[in-house]
Amino acid sequence: MKDIELIIKNLPTSWKELKLRDYLKIVDVSLIEYTNDIYEADFVKLDNAIRVLSSLTGLTVNEIEVLPVSYVNQMVAKIAFMDKLPSERIKPSFKIKRIEQITFEEYVSFLNYTSKPELIFPNLANIIKQFSTTPFTEEEIENLNMEDVLACFFLSKKQLGKSLTNLILQTVKKLMRIKAKQVKVHLLKKLQWGKKNINIDTDGIG
């Protein structure tokens, strides 16, 4: 068997240490769903952790399960950071396109990539390609750390959300201006019609 201590040492301990290429392996891992049973949930959590560790280390699930408990505990403790996503306030180390630089096609692609929760993480590399101002190669994207990758996703989502909100506000304002103009035209027509009636009545009196 491989040198377990070296394997443990090389395991990531934060999102910043986890590479996108390694995370994409985890995305394909078949995880067990949690149950309402508190005691059973602990076993499910451990089982899922072992499956994730298997994809990260190259060891089979069986190879990990026959390891001493102390080793397994160390490995599970190292990847405990995955229980919580990094802060959405973190900015990526590379620059993201401004709203005015984003094309309609890119906007539609982003909506497609994020239309379902299960599509988001497998498409993180595509999101970076479209929204980063840096022309990354495939290899460079795969070597990006997950803190930067997720920060790019959070920032892109935030920017596009603001853009959509502004678009809605502009549309509402435009509709209000059109409506106001229509009301004005309607009132003017009413006034003109009223003036004609007044003139007719005046002529009749004379």
Side-chain angles (χ1 to χ4, degrees):
M1 191 182 287
K2 299 176 184 177
D3 186 344
I4 299 301
E5 291 185 356
L6 182 60
I7 288 174
I8 294 173
K9 183 181 178 181
N10 290 332
L11 280 171
T13 59
S14 67
W15 288 108
K16 198 170 185 65
E17 292 180 8
L18 180 63
K19 304 295 183 184
L20 176 60
R21 66 169 182 271
D22 294 321
Y23 185 77
L24 292 178
K25 298 174 187 175
I26 300 172
V27 171
D28 294 329
V29 174
S30 179
L31 299 178
I32 303 171
E33 291 186 9
Y34 286 91
T35 66
N36 293 326
D37 189 307
I38 298 174
Y39 299 104
E40 188 177 345
D42 288 336
F43 287 104
V44 170
K45 185 176 182 179
L46 180 59
D47 198 341
N48 284 337
I50 289 173
R51 290 168 185 242
V52 170
L53 285 167
S54 175
S55 69
L56 287 174
T57 61
L59 296 173
T60 66
V61 170
N62 289 336
E63 286 175 329
I64 295 174
E65 287 179 340
V66 297
L67 289 173
V69 174
S70 59
Y71 282 146
V72 177
N73 284 341
Q74 287 180 58
M75 295 169 80
V76 171
K78 278 220 160 187
I79 64 167
F81 68 90
M82 291 185 192
D83 288 340
K84 186 179 180 182
L85 289 176
S87 170
E88 294 190 14
R89 295 181 181 180
I90 296 174
K91 292 183 179 180
S93 59
F94 49 88
K95 290 185 177 180
I96 300 297
K97 290 180 181 177
R98 298 189 302 275
I99 294 300
E100 57 269 22
Q101 295 175 302
I102 297 172
T103 66
F104 180 74
E105 184 181 11
E106 289 170 338
Y107 177 68
V108 171
S109 295
F110 184 85
L111 293 181
N112 289 331
Y113 294 148
T114 58
S115 59
K116 296 179 182 178
E118 61 269 22
L119 294 178
I120 294 173
F121 292 114
N123 282 302
L124 286 173
N126 293 323
I127 292 171
I128 291 170
K129 282 181 190 176
Q130 289 193 337
F131 291 96
S132 169
T133 58
T134 306
F136 288 118
T137 63
E138 291 285 339
E139 186 179 355
E140 287 171 336
I141 290 179
E142 289 179 355
N143 281 317
L144 287 173
N145 71 74
M146 282 304 295
E147 187 174 270
D148 279 344
V149 171
L150 292 173
C152 170
F153 169 73
F154 293 144
L155 190 56
S156 300
K157 185 180 178 183
K158 186 178 180 181
Q159 287 183 345
L160 289 176
K162 282 184 178 179
S163 177
L164 185 59
T165 301
N166 290 334
L167 180 63
I168 292 170
L169 288 173
Q170 289 171 11
T171 303
V172 169
K173 286 179 181 178
K174 187 176 180 181
L175 288 172
M176 287 176 70
R177 284 197 296 270
I178 292 171
K179 190 66 179 175
K181 188 175 181 181
Q182 289 175 343
V183 170
K184 183 180 178 182
V185 171
H186 178 70
L187 287 174
L188 285 172
K189 284 182 178 179
K190 278 251 182 188
L191 286 170
Q192 288 172 358
W193 182 81
K195 284 180 180 178
K196 286 180 182 179
N197 280 350
I198 291 171
N199 290 333
I200 291 170
D201 290 345
T202 303
D203 293 340
I205 292 170

